[in-house]
Amino acid sequence: MTRILPPGLNEQQFDTALQRFRDVVGDKWVLSDAADLAAFQDPYPVGAEPNYLPSAVVSPASTEQVREIVLIANEFGIPLQPVSTGKNNGYGGASPRLTGAVIVKTGDRMNKILEVNEKFGYALLEPGVTYFDLYEYLQANNIDLMLDCPDLGWGSVVGNALDRGVGYTPYGDHFLWQTGMEVVLPQGNIMRTGMGALPGSNTWQLFPYGFGPYPDGLFTQSNLGIVTKMGIALMPKPPGSLTFLIAFDREEDLEQIIDIMLPLRINMAPLQNVPVLRNIFMDAAAVSRRSEWFDGEGPMPAEAIEAMKRELNLGYWNFYGTLYGPPPVIEMYYGMIREAFGHVPGARFFTHLERDDRGGHVLQDRHKINNGVPSLDELQLLDWVPNGGHICFSPVSAPDGRDALAQFTMVRDRAHDYNKDYAAQFIIGLREMHHVCLFVYDTSVPQAREEALQMTRVLVQEAAEAGYGEYRTHNALMDDVMATFNWGDGALLKFHELIKDALDPKGILAPGKSGVWPKHLRDATH
């Protein structure tokens, strides 16, 4: 296998730089052999040919070591790709945006829980702390706080917030609840944001805005810094909780479901948490394989879909939420929810106390996640097909029934064109919905990988033409998505490029991340 080098460097120059990295972090923490680097390729590759390949991996132990790595990279002109735990699967995993970049894997050694404050409800973390790590710390120390988990708990708390990830408790918008950062900037300077910029402040994790312009958002989905510490707010444990499932039978119920849901959610009562609406493919894949229902080619026939619904005792759409508080409050809110959604013909209601069968597996998993208990159960989705991997298409929608139905119809029809099953979930915030569409494919088949990529590329364009944009995307589609945010002759991208050129004139940090390239690569073919 041909050795991969950073762009513009020969082997001798790169070997010299690698030795400099080893002098900073130790020999053990610099990987450059092909066998070691294989673990840092996209775990769910897209496209017929391998792409997005690293030249090395460096694992620092401290903010100061990150700074030294950045200074060396500037000296040699080596692009760096920061990752935390590297579990951003479906969006590229730990793979770099630019082939030949050196991965800076902060999650290996920078994994300390620096502080948990029970009185004020926050944690200060390094990027290697996973949801499991933080949960186990809270349990071991009998701390009466709970975290907000995404579907899979193996990832970085810091990394998920920086990629604007979502969870399902009332604290579901993860970046909203971040409380100040420590950041290594592209030329090696170290900065703290918010009240952390005031020496001796005891409010760093209490008031994230500080004084003057608020820069924290510049470090989300960006290539403007490496975050080495971040605070996150934690929710006090409620006195009780009840997780419910509402099963709706028909595809076309979607419009009515969303329109009933909006006033209940925007008031934050009776829908207190971030509820999720999943279709039958999403829930069936959590407990079965496709071949159990249909072993043929092409879209799954109607009779197979009906069999999944019947045998799992689920609807085409399945709505999950959790209620918190004293039992009388929970009972009152659940009654309001039953009355409101009971207007949908055939709606069926269950709680986690009533369903422990195979079709109730997701209900039980949501109860754990919605109570701050991390889980890996959703990994079962990948067994839907042999050698399963997935790519996500994630447009944002208004919480409006007609918008939801329009997006669903668009994606369903395109998935049928490409013979893909469409596992859908609408994750419902206060005034928007993340429409996360998962397409599971056999990663061992180059044609299947290429079709998944091309279908998602088509969907990006079709969604943009209908006024829908993605909140997050795979490495392979970052340029495509950024190109759709082109109001005002591309004013947003031009603004990003101005900041990139000012903070990172050599283009060291994550070139091409989110479609933002340094000046010397801007006109190249990526």
Side-chain angles (χ1 to χ4, degrees):
M1 182 177 177
T2 303
R3 186 184 185 190
I4 296 169
L5 299 171
L9 267 68
N10 60 38
E11 292 200 40
Q12 182 179 358
Q13 292 168 323
F14 189 42
D15 286 337
T16 301
L18 289 177
Q19 186 56 53
R20 293 278 299 278
F21 289 143
R22 292 187 181 100
D23 292 341
V24 172
V25 302
D27 291 353
K28 176 182 176 181
W29 301 107
V30 178
L31 305 178
S32 58
D33 292 340
D36 293 327
L37 297 181
F40 295 87
Q41 297 179 24
D42 187 351
Y44 308 148
V46 298
E49 299 298 327
N51 210 337
Y52 313 108
L53 306 175
S55 57
V57 178
V58 182
S59 297
S62 65
T63 299
E64 291 69 29
Q65 287 189 1
V66 173
R67 178 178 183 272
E68 290 300 316
I69 291 166
V70 169
L71 291 173
I72 294 167
N74 272 273
E75 181 181 340
F76 285 86
I78 295 173
L80 301 176
Q81 180 75 41
V83 303
S84 47
T85 58
K87 295 295 188 180
N88 198 18
N89 295 350
Y91 297 101
S95 64
R97 177 68 179 89
L98 178 68
T99 289
V102 170
I103 292 173
V104 180
K105 193 167 188 291
T106 55
D108 276 339
R109 304 167 73 194
M110 299 178 67
N111 53 13
K112 292 187 285 295
I113 298 171
L114 301 169
E115 180 188 3
V116 173
N117 189 304
E118 187 171 9
K119 178 179 179 180
F120 296 122
Y122 68 78
L124 179 62
L125 309 172
E126 290 186 329
V129 176
T130 70
Y131 289 92
F132 280 108
D133 294 334
L134 184 53
Y135 172 75
E136 290 165 4
Y137 181 93
L138 297 177
Q139 294 299 108
N141 291 278
N142 198 30
I143 295 172
D144 201 30
L145 297 171
M146 74 182 210
L147 57 156
D148 185 281
C149 308
D151 294 290
L152 297 174
W154 60 1
S156 163
V157 178
V158 172
N160 187 273
L162 294 177
D163 214 23
R164 303 187 200 132
V166 294
Y168 303 97
T169 77
Y171 284 33
D173 182 344
H174 291 168
F175 180 66
L176 176 67
W177 296 98
Q178 76 83 26
T179 59
M181 305 175 183
E182 180 177 273
V183 188
V184 178
L185 298 174
Q187 296 182 69
N189 299 326
I190 302 173
M191 178 178 77
R192 287 187 174 179
T193 67
M195 300 304 289
L198 177 69
S201 170
N202 67 353
T203 56
W204 185 16
Q205 272 67 63
L206 303 181
F207 183 66
Y209 305 114
F211 177 77
Y214 174 66
D216 299 51
L218 291 173
F219 304 108
T220 66
Q221 294 190 3
S222 83
N223 49 15
L224 299 175
I226 301 176
V227 176
T228 56
K229 297 180 179 70
M230 192 185 79
I232 192 79
L234 301 176
M235 177 178 162
K237 285 184 180 177
S241 67
L242 180 78
T243 300
F244 61 88
L245 156 65
I246 313 174
F248 304 96
D249 195 53
R250 304 174 304 165
E251 287 185 20
E252 58 268 29
D253 288 334
L254 177 61
E255 183 171 356
Q256 187 179 7
I257 296 166
I258 297 301
D259 287 338
I260 290 172
M261 177 277 306
L262 176 59
L264 309 182
R265 177 71 184 111
I266 206 168
N267 289 326
M268 294 189 288
L271 289 176
Q272 299 163 290
N273 78 311
V274 176
V276 60
L277 182 67
R278 299 159 57 110
N279 75 350
I280 186 61
F281 287 95
M282 195 84 176
D283 281 4
V287 295
S288 66
R289 299 184 178 185
R290 189 180 200 268
S291 57
E292 177 180 343
W293 313 104
F294 179 62
D295 205 17
E297 297 295 326
M300 189 172 287
E303 56 268 25
I305 295 173
E306 289 302 313
M308 288 192 293
K309 291 161 54 180
R310 181 179 60 254
E311 296 188 28
L312 297 175
N313 192 16
L314 293 169
Y316 185 88
W317 293 108
N318 300 287
F319 186 86
Y320 297 90
T322 298
L323 302 170
Y324 308 95
V329 172
I330 291 174
E331 183 179 351
M332 178 183 67
Y333 281 172
Y334 189 45
M336 295 168 65
I337 288 167
R338 288 179 63 97
E339 195 281 330
F341 287 104
H343 292 286
V344 181
R348 292 176 291 134
F349 298 82
F350 309 93
T351 74
H352 77 279
L353 301 174
E354 301 164 343
R355 293 282 304 267
D356 199 22
D357 57 322
R358 187 163 72 139
H361 173 83
V362 172
L363 177 60
Q364 295 296 330
D365 194 40
R366 302 320 295 184
H367 184 65
K368 289 193 301 183
I369 291 170
N370 294 1
N371 281 279
V373 182
S375 171
L376 291 178
D377 285 5
E378 290 282 305
L379 281 175
Q380 172 71 27
L381 289 166
L382 300 178
D383 292 334
W384 185 243
V385 300
N387 310 300
H390 71 83
I391 188 170
C392 289
F393 170 64
S394 306
V396 173
S397 166
D400 175 82
R402 290 204 302 177
D403 274 312
L405 190 59
Q407 281 197 7
F408 167 72
T409 303
M410 174 186 68
V411 180
R412 180 201 60 197
D413 292 350
R414 190 60 63 217
H416 284 178
D417 290 344
Y418 281 83
N419 293 325
K420 294 286 185 292
D421 296 325
Y422 158 37
Q425 63 175 351
F426 289 90
I427 303 170
I428 301 158
L430 290 175
R431 290 173 175 81
E432 48 72 34
M433 300 191 301
H434 289 49
H435 179 193
V436 179
C437 314
L438 276 77
F439 307 104
V440 182
Y441 56 93
D442 187 335
T443 58
S444 70
V445 179
Q447 182 179 350
R449 299 197 305 262
E450 183 64 28
E451 286 176 351
L453 176 59
Q454 293 308 322
M455 178 187 66
T456 311
R457 180 167 281 131
V458 169
L459 282 168
V460 167
Q461 294 304 317
E462 289 186 344
E465 290 166 8
Y468 304 122
E470 283 66 62
Y471 92 102
R472 190 175 182 184
T473 198
H474 191 281
N475 281 341
L477 296 166
M478 286 180 174
D479 292 335
D480 298 72
V481 172
M482 179 54 78
T484 66
F485 284 75
N486 58 5
W487 183 90
D489 193 29
L492 179 65
L493 178 56
K494 291 175 182 176
F495 176 78
H496 291 321
E497 290 172 345
L498 283 171
I499 297 173
K500 181 67 174 172
D501 292 344
L503 292 181
D504 190 9
K506 294 185 178 180
I508 297 301
L509 286 190
K513 171 75 173 178
S514 297
V516 180
W517 292 91
K519 185 176 291 186
H520 70 281
L521 294 175
R522 225 161 264 164
D523 296 327
T525 300
H526 311 305

PDB file of all heavy atoms in Angstrom, residues 148-164:
ATOM      1  N   ASP A 148     -27.768  14.350  29.561  1.00  0.00           N
ATOM      2  CA  ASP A 148     -28.617  14.176  28.391  1.00  0.00           C
ATOM      3  C   ASP A 148     -27.827  13.391  27.352  1.00  0.00           C
ATOM      4  O   ASP A 148     -26.776  13.838  26.894  1.00  0.00           O
ATOM      5  CB  ASP A 148     -29.041  15.530  27.828  1.00  0.00           C
ATOM      6  CG  ASP A 148     -30.025  15.367  26.681  1.00  0.00           C
ATOM      7  OD1 ASP A 148     -29.580  15.067  25.547  1.00  0.00           O
ATOM      8  OD2 ASP A 148     -31.229  15.516  26.917  1.00  0.00           O
ATOM      9  N   CYS A 149     -28.328  12.220  26.995  1.00  0.00           N
ATOM     10  CA  CYS A 149     -27.603  11.299  26.104  1.00  0.00           C
ATOM     11  C   CYS A 149     -28.151  11.348  24.687  1.00  0.00           C
ATOM     12  O   CYS A 149     -29.365  11.446  24.499  1.00  0.00           O
ATOM     13  CB  CYS A 149     -27.735   9.854  26.591  1.00  0.00           C
ATOM     14  SG  CYS A 149     -27.300   9.579  28.301  1.00  0.00           S
ATOM     15  N   PRO A 150     -27.292  11.195  23.685  1.00  0.00           N
ATOM     16  CA  PRO A 150     -27.774  10.886  22.335  1.00  0.00           C
ATOM     17  C   PRO A 150     -28.159   9.413  22.257  1.00  0.00           C
ATOM     18  O   PRO A 150     -28.158   8.700  23.263  1.00  0.00           O
ATOM     19  CB  PRO A 150     -26.568  11.220  21.458  1.00  0.00           C
ATOM     20  CG  PRO A 150     -25.397  10.959  22.347  1.00  0.00           C
ATOM     21  CD  PRO A 150     -25.839  11.272  23.752  1.00  0.00           C
ATOM     22  N   ASP A 151     -28.473   8.935  21.064  1.00  0.00           N
ATOM     23  CA  ASP A 151     -28.913   7.540  20.912  1.00  0.00           C
ATOM     24  C   ASP A 151     -27.849   6.551  21.345  1.00  0.00           C
ATOM     25  O   ASP A 151     -28.172   5.500  21.900  1.00  0.00           O
ATOM     26  CB  ASP A 151     -29.312   7.276  19.457  1.00  0.00           C
ATOM     27  CG  ASP A 151     -30.538   8.078  19.057  1.00  0.00           C
ATOM     28  OD1 ASP A 151     -31.624   7.768  19.550  1.00  0.00           O
ATOM     29  OD2 ASP A 151     -30.392   9.018  18.258  1.00  0.00           O
ATOM     30  N   LEU A 152     -26.580   6.844  21.064  1.00  0.00           N
ATOM     31  CA  LEU A 152     -25.482   5.970  21.441  1.00  0.00           C
ATOM     32  C   LEU A 152     -24.589   6.709  22.434  1.00  0.00           C
ATOM     33  O   LEU A 152     -24.177   7.839  22.186  1.00  0.00           O
ATOM     34  CB  LEU A 152     -24.672   5.547  20.219  1.00  0.00           C
ATOM     35  CG  LEU A 152     -25.428   4.715  19.175  1.00  0.00           C
ATOM     36  CD1 LEU A 152     -24.563   4.490  17.942  1.00  0.00           C
ATOM     37  CD2 LEU A 152     -25.866   3.367  19.758  1.00  0.00           C
ATOM     38  N   GLY A 153     -24.265   6.047  23.562  1.00  0.00           N
ATOM     39  CA  GLY A 153     -23.553   6.724  24.634  1.00  0.00           C
ATOM     40  C   GLY A 153     -22.052   6.581  24.604  1.00  0.00           C
ATOM     41  O   GLY A 153     -21.378   6.996  25.548  1.00  0.00           O
ATOM     42  N   TRP A 154     -21.490   6.032  23.524  1.00  0.00           N
ATOM     43  CA  TRP A 154     -20.046   5.789  23.515  1.00  0.00           C
ATOM     44  C   TRP A 154     -19.241   7.002  23.051  1.00  0.00           C
ATOM     45  O   TRP A 154     -18.017   6.995  23.141  1.00  0.00           O
ATOM     46  CB  TRP A 154     -19.715   4.575  22.664  1.00  0.00           C
ATOM     47  CG  TRP A 154     -20.127   4.659  21.203  1.00  0.00           C
ATOM     48  CD1 TRP A 154     -20.745   5.697  20.569  1.00  0.00           C
ATOM     49  CD2 TRP A 154     -19.931   3.651  20.202  1.00  0.00           C
ATOM     50  NE1 TRP A 154     -20.956   5.409  19.240  1.00  0.00           N
ATOM     51  CE2 TRP A 154     -20.472   4.146  18.992  1.00  0.00           C
ATOM     52  CE3 TRP A 154     -19.368   2.380  20.214  1.00  0.00           C
ATOM     53  CZ2 TRP A 154     -20.453   3.413  17.809  1.00  0.00           C
ATOM     54  CZ3 TRP A 154     -19.351   1.661  19.035  1.00  0.00           C
ATOM     55  CH2 TRP A 154     -19.889   2.166  17.852  1.00  0.00           C
ATOM     56  N   GLY A 155     -19.906   8.031  22.592  1.00  0.00           N
ATOM     57  CA  GLY A 155     -19.205   9.186  22.056  1.00  0.00           C
ATOM     58  C   GLY A 155     -18.846  10.211  23.122  1.00  0.00           C
ATOM     59  O   GLY A 155     -19.201  10.096  24.298  1.00  0.00           O
ATOM     60  N   SER A 156     -18.142  11.246  22.688  1.00  0.00           N
ATOM     61  CA  SER A 156     -17.664  12.322  23.552  1.00  0.00           C
ATOM     62  C   SER A 156     -18.784  13.306  23.875  1.00  0.00           C
ATOM     63  O   SER A 156     -19.498  13.764  22.977  1.00  0.00           O
ATOM     64  CB  SER A 156     -16.514  13.048  22.856  1.00  0.00           C
ATOM     65  OG  SER A 156     -16.271  14.309  23.440  1.00  0.00           O
ATOM     66  N   VAL A 157     -18.903  13.666  25.151  1.00  0.00           N
ATOM     67  CA  VAL A 157     -19.861  14.700  25.548  1.00  0.00           C
ATOM     68  C   VAL A 157     -19.483  16.024  24.879  1.00  0.00           C
ATOM     69  O   VAL A 157     -20.334  16.729  24.328  1.00  0.00           O
ATOM     70  CB  VAL A 157     -19.900  14.844  27.075  1.00  0.00           C
ATOM     71  CG1 VAL A 157     -20.862  15.955  27.491  1.00  0.00           C
ATOM     72  CG2 VAL A 157     -20.291  13.525  27.727  1.00  0.00           C
ATOM     73  N   VAL A 158     -18.199  16.350  24.903  1.00  0.00           N
ATOM     74  CA  VAL A 158     -17.727  17.592  24.290  1.00  0.00           C
ATOM     75  C   VAL A 158     -17.893  17.537  22.773  1.00  0.00           C
ATOM     76  O   VAL A 158     -18.420  18.469  22.155  1.00  0.00           O
ATOM     77  CB  VAL A 158     -16.249  17.839  24.659  1.00  0.00           C
ATOM     78  CG1 VAL A 158     -15.678  19.025  23.883  1.00  0.00           C
ATOM     79  CG2 VAL A 158     -16.112  18.071  26.163  1.00  0.00           C
ATOM     80  N   GLY A 159     -17.469  16.445  22.165  1.00  0.00           N
ATOM     81  CA  GLY A 159     -17.536  16.333  20.712  1.00  0.00           C
ATOM     82  C   GLY A 159     -18.951  16.406  20.184  1.00  0.00           C
ATOM     83  O   GLY A 159     -19.211  17.022  19.147  1.00  0.00           O
ATOM     84  N   ASN A 160     -19.894  15.782  20.889  1.00  0.00           N
ATOM     85  CA  ASN A 160     -21.272  15.814  20.429  1.00  0.00           C
ATOM     86  C   ASN A 160     -21.831  17.228  20.486  1.00  0.00           C
ATOM     87  O   ASN A 160     -22.525  17.670  19.561  1.00  0.00           O
ATOM     88  CB  ASN A 160     -22.119  14.856  21.267  1.00  0.00           C
ATOM     89  CG  ASN A 160     -23.526  14.708  20.737  1.00  0.00           C
ATOM     90  OD1 ASN A 160     -24.418  15.477  21.081  1.00  0.00           O
ATOM     91  ND2 ASN A 160     -23.731  13.716  19.881  1.00  0.00           N
ATOM     92  N   ALA A 161     -21.538  17.962  21.544  1.00  0.00           N
ATOM     93  CA  ALA A 161     -22.017  19.346  21.636  1.00  0.00           C
ATOM     94  C   ALA A 161     -21.407  20.206  20.537  1.00  0.00           C
ATOM     95  O   ALA A 161     -22.089  21.061  19.952  1.00  0.00           O
ATOM     96  CB  ALA A 161     -21.688  19.923  23.005  1.00  0.00           C
ATOM     97  N   LEU A 162     -20.125  19.968  20.221  1.00  0.00           N
ATOM     98  CA  LEU A 162     -19.459  20.770  19.190  1.00  0.00           C
ATOM     99  C   LEU A 162     -20.000  20.464  17.799  1.00  0.00           C
ATOM    100  O   LEU A 162     -19.885  21.294  16.898  1.00  0.00           O
ATOM    101  CB  LEU A 162     -17.951  20.538  19.234  1.00  0.00           C
ATOM    102  CG  LEU A 162     -17.241  21.039  20.492  1.00  0.00           C
ATOM    103  CD1 LEU A 162     -15.768  20.683  20.446  1.00  0.00           C
ATOM    104  CD2 LEU A 162     -17.427  22.537  20.674  1.00  0.00           C
ATOM    105  N   ASP A 163     -20.581  19.282  17.611  1.00  0.00           N
ATOM    106  CA  ASP A 163     -21.207  18.971  16.327  1.00  0.00           C
ATOM    107  C   ASP A 163     -22.709  19.235  16.371  1.00  0.00           C
ATOM    108  O   ASP A 163     -23.448  18.794  15.500  1.00  0.00           O
ATOM    109  CB  ASP A 163     -20.931  17.519  15.925  1.00  0.00           C
ATOM    110  CG  ASP A 163     -20.790  17.377  14.414  1.00  0.00           C
ATOM    111  OD1 ASP A 163     -20.473  18.377  13.740  1.00  0.00           O
ATOM    112  OD2 ASP A 163     -21.007  16.267  13.906  1.00  0.00           O
ATOM    113  N   ARG A 164     -23.147  19.958  17.398  1.00  0.00           N
ATOM    114  CA  ARG A 164     -24.547  20.357  17.585  1.00  0.00           C
ATOM    115  C   ARG A 164     -25.470  19.149  17.642  1.00  0.00           C
ATOM    116  O   ARG A 164     -26.558  19.127  17.061  1.00  0.00           O
ATOM    117  CB  ARG A 164     -24.994  21.329  16.496  1.00  0.00           C
ATOM    118  CG  ARG A 164     -24.117  22.577  16.414  1.00  0.00           C
ATOM    119  CD  ARG A 164     -24.652  23.610  15.452  1.00  0.00           C
ATOM    120  NE  ARG A 164     -23.580  24.522  15.074  1.00  0.00           N
ATOM    121  CZ  ARG A 164     -23.296  24.884  13.834  1.00  0.00           C
ATOM    122  NH1 ARG A 164     -24.029  24.434  12.828  1.00  0.00           N
ATOM    123  NH2 ARG A 164     -22.312  25.708  13.586  1.00  0.00           N
TER     124      ARG A 164
END
